[in-house]
Amino acid sequence: MSDAKPHVGLIGLAVMGENLALNIARNGFPLVVYNRTTLRTEEYLAGPAANTSITGAATLPEFVAALEPPRQIILMVKAGVPVDAVLTELVPLLDPGDIVVDGGNSYFRDTERREAELARQGIRYVGMGVSGGELGALWGPSLMPGGPREAYDVLEPMLMAIAAKTRYGPCVTYIGPGGSGHYVKMIHNGIEYGDMQLIAETYDIMRTALGMSAPEIAEVFARWNGGKLASYLIEVTAEVLRFVDEETGRPIVDVILDAAEQKGTGRWTIESAMELSSPVPTIDAAVTARNLSGLRALRVEASEVLIGPTPPGGADEARAMLGGDSGADGAFAALESSLYFSKVSSYAQGMSLLAAASITYDWKLNLSEIARIWTGGCIIRADFLADIMRAYRDNPKLTNLLLDADIARQSDETVGGARRSIVAARSWGIPVPGTSSALDYFDTLRQISLPANLVQAQRDYFGAHTYLRTDRDGIFHTLWHGAEQPAEPVPVQELADV
Ligand code: 6PG
């Protein structure tokens, strides 16, 4: 072993940090780690990091002194205030040219602020989305680094080495400047929320309308994982539904409280979608569903007061409603199509939001590359991502994923399943907000004529908000009230001249 000091350091030994450090060392990059609580560092060095090239430091000055400039320091600390707290202590110890990488789920605007602050001191700041949970961090995550290009170039050999690998290459690419890396990770998480909600709704139809047990539903998901839905989250779902609670002997999902929590990335996705007027209704539905699930006391109370539909029969009727004459196979095929269709619609929404952000913030995002680095390592990894990668490679200016010829064909083949699933769910009174929103997005996009003409008329009626016409140019306002109302609407310019 050489006496040269390592360039790479990692701060924050929670489970993601611990595993990422092991991954880095395993791939031939010796590194120094630091954790606020020294005991944790000592336990780590004596435990998982024993017999590796990982060394530790007890204080931040020691940590910085143990690294060779230009340093490459990865922060794996909780997003928000803790990142600023570490930076306040760390930055005065650094030299110009050093690189700091934030590998947490930071809000992209925080990343932009920190990048600007550190740039004033000559320090290069990289906001990097890291996806894949504990196992991904250890064996190969999907990495979404954004910030100064030249800093990425320095980091690239290490990032390529530690990232997940698929047939499409290592799951890392330079995302773009500023906070784009964390923005892309935020959208990844929003899509993750959407996928999870759509899967949960499909499970609910099987549980409630088809009367199936958790292990029976697990087998359906396991089967689907061998088909067009093949993905990590479908695999996880099958495993979770099979899992038996040791204490009660019941499927564990049946004893888990139905109140879903969240840490914020889904909500940020929606806030950004609203700000950029690029709707993501399925992600919106997923976040709203989590929030509603959390209102458990209210739901318990409402369940005794509010009355739902009388289901038009039992499991046989539900199967027939879903699959027509094709029995159980037809019903499951409809649900599989429904889930696939909804997923396509949801990804189309997420990718459109990425495209809108890319234009607004001038990030020049490569959507094909982003889909490629999501083919492995991350939580939303799925066979379907290869189709998205191909669609944006064939046409980088694609205005909406649903307009790609192959994706359009796939949605055409599966949309019927979504329509049938929603009808069945409604008949049994099962809420399917994610699936419904996915279909509504599709049905809205298809319309040449929406009822927004009426909304515009209403706005003009009560607020003189003006409107455009279909038959001529100009901005118009109608004098809706009183005898002076002219026969023709008045162009706003003319009104102003009066
Ligand atoms: C990942 C995950 C992870 C994320 C949670 C979302 O890509 O590895 O997206 O980063 O934090 O899965 O957490 P909540 O559901 O708690 O918001």
Side-chain angles (χ1 to χ4, degrees):
M1 230 173 102
S2 89
D3 292 338
K5 293 194 274 185
H7 286 285
V8 183
L10 185 143
I11 297 178
L13 292 176
V15 67
M16 289 293 284
E18 281 195 356
N19 283 353
L20 200 68
L22 290 172
N23 184 352
I24 294 170
R26 193 181 65 244
N27 279 288
F29 297 84
L31 76 161
V32 184
V33 296
Y34 168 79
N35 193 69
R36 202 160 38 92
T37 327
T38 315
L39 183 62
R40 176 125 196 148
T41 312
E42 287 166 0
E43 283 171 358
Y44 178 62
L45 293 175
N51 305 318
T52 69
S53 59
I54 301 175
T55 52
T59 66
L60 267 182
E62 273 178 39
F63 170 78
V64 172
L67 296 171
E68 183 70 29
R71 302 174 181 89
Q72 304 167 26
I73 298 176
I74 305 173
L75 307 185
M76 293 301 290
V77 300
K78 206 168 172 309
V81 174
V83 176
D84 286 314
V86 172
L87 290 175
T88 306
E89 281 186 62
L90 175 69
V91 170
L93 307 170
L94 299 181
D95 294 311
D98 285 348
I99 297 170
V100 177
V101 182
D102 174 9
N105 273 329
S106 290
Y107 185 47
F108 77 103
R109 291 195 199 285
D110 286 342
T111 302
E112 304 211 312
R113 168 179 55 78
R114 291 167 186 146
E115 188 196 349
E117 282 167 10
L118 268 62
R120 274 184 237 122
Q121 300 170 61
I123 294 162
R124 299 172 284 178
Y125 194 70
V126 172
M128 181 171 77
V130 178
S131 177
E134 300 169 23
L135 287 178
L138 182 57
W139 296 112
S142 172
L143 300 172
M144 294 151 248
R149 172 82 216 203
E150 74 281 4
Y152 171 79
D153 290 339
V154 174
L155 298 166
E156 190 181 69
M158 175 178 63
L159 300 183
M160 290 268 187
I162 65 170
K165 313 285 182 308
T166 70
R167 55 202 288 217
Y168 308 109
C171 293
V172 59
T173 191
Y174 174 64
I175 298 289
S180 60
H182 277 141
Y183 189 91
V184 168
K185 176 64 189 349
M186 176 185 87
I187 300 298
H188 164 283
N189 281 22
I191 291 174
E192 170 188 307
Y193 276 51
D195 273 350
M196 292 168 77
Q197 176 64 23
L198 295 170
I199 291 171
E201 291 174 11
T202 310
Y203 151 76
D204 204 5
I205 294 175
M206 286 193 255
R207 173 178 74 166
T208 309
L210 299 180
M212 294 168 66
S213 68
E216 286 169 342
I217 301 172
E219 293 322 306
V220 176
F221 278 106
R223 213 166 51 239
W224 287 350
N225 200 34
K228 58 177 180 268
L229 280 169
S231 58
Y232 176 65
L233 280 171
I234 295 285
E235 180 191 326
V236 164
T237 306
E239 285 191 20
V240 160
L241 287 166
R242 264 187 206 132
F243 202 90
V244 174
D245 176 43
E246 266 182 31
E247 261 175 60
T248 58
R250 296 172 60 195
I252 188 126
V253 282
D254 292 347
V255 294
I256 293 179
L257 189 75
D258 57 345
E261 297 175 12
Q262 56 192 309
K263 289 198 274 298
T265 44
R267 178 166 51 78
W268 295 341
T269 304
I270 296 165
E271 285 168 1
S272 175
M274 291 291 173
E275 198 178 324
L276 301 180
S277 298
S278 180
V280 287
T282 305
I283 299 173
D284 199 301
V287 175
T288 301
R290 287 197 193 190
N291 288 338
L292 278 169
S293 79
L295 304 178
R296 195 150 196 288
L298 174 62
R299 288 194 286 117
V300 171
E301 198 184 336
S303 70
E304 285 161 15
V305 180
L306 306 178
I307 299 175
T310 305
D316 285 344
E317 283 73 12
R319 268 192 291 273
M321 192 173 281
L322 284 164
D325 296 336
S326 338
D329 285 351
F332 294 130
L335 289 173
E336 184 182 17
S337 288
S338 172
L339 187 48
Y340 189 79
F341 167 83
S342 307
K343 188 179 167 79
V344 172
S345 170
S346 177
Y347 280 60
Q349 300 163 31
M351 297 309 282
S352 293
L353 179 52
L354 278 182
S358 181
I359 291 168
T360 306
Y361 304 124
D362 197 21
W363 282 337
K364 304 192 169 47
L365 297 180
N366 180 331
L367 299 186
S368 178
E369 267 294 276
I370 290 170
R372 184 188 68 74
I373 65 168
W374 288 347
T375 57
C378 63
I379 304 294
I380 65 169
R381 63 185 183 261
D383 284 6
F384 170 57
L385 279 155
D387 294 351
I388 303 181
M389 184 183 96
R390 199 262 323 133
Y392 284 106
R393 195 191 51 216
D394 289 357
N395 180 6
K397 294 198 175 352
L398 189 63
T399 46
N400 187 292
L401 185 61
L402 288 165
L403 300 187
D404 171 79
D406 183 56
I407 304 280
R409 179 192 53 76
Q410 294 191 39
S411 47
D412 183 47
E413 283 169 11
T414 51
V415 66
R419 295 193 194 284
R420 283 198 296 282
S421 298
I422 291 167
V423 170
R426 294 267 175 261
S427 309
W428 266 257
I430 301 165
V432 282
T435 311
S436 305
S437 72
L439 180 58
D440 284 339
Y441 181 78
F442 175 88
D443 275 340
T444 303
L445 281 191
R446 301 188 298 108
Q447 302 300 325
I448 289 183
S449 172
L450 286 170
N453 50 339
L454 179 58
V455 173
Q456 283 295 78
Q458 291 163 334
R459 291 177 68 243
D460 192 60
Y461 180 97
F462 62 67
H465 293 300
T466 73
Y467 54 85
L468 305 180
R469 294 181 58 104
T470 56
D471 54 357
R472 61 197 132 108
D473 290 341
I475 300 171
F476 295 90
H477 166 57
T478 293
L479 299 173
W480 300 93
H481 316 283
E484 84 282 14
Q485 180 172 322
E488 284 290 299
V490 187
V492 166
Q493 192 50 48
E494 285 175 29
L495 271 180
D497 292 345
V498 174

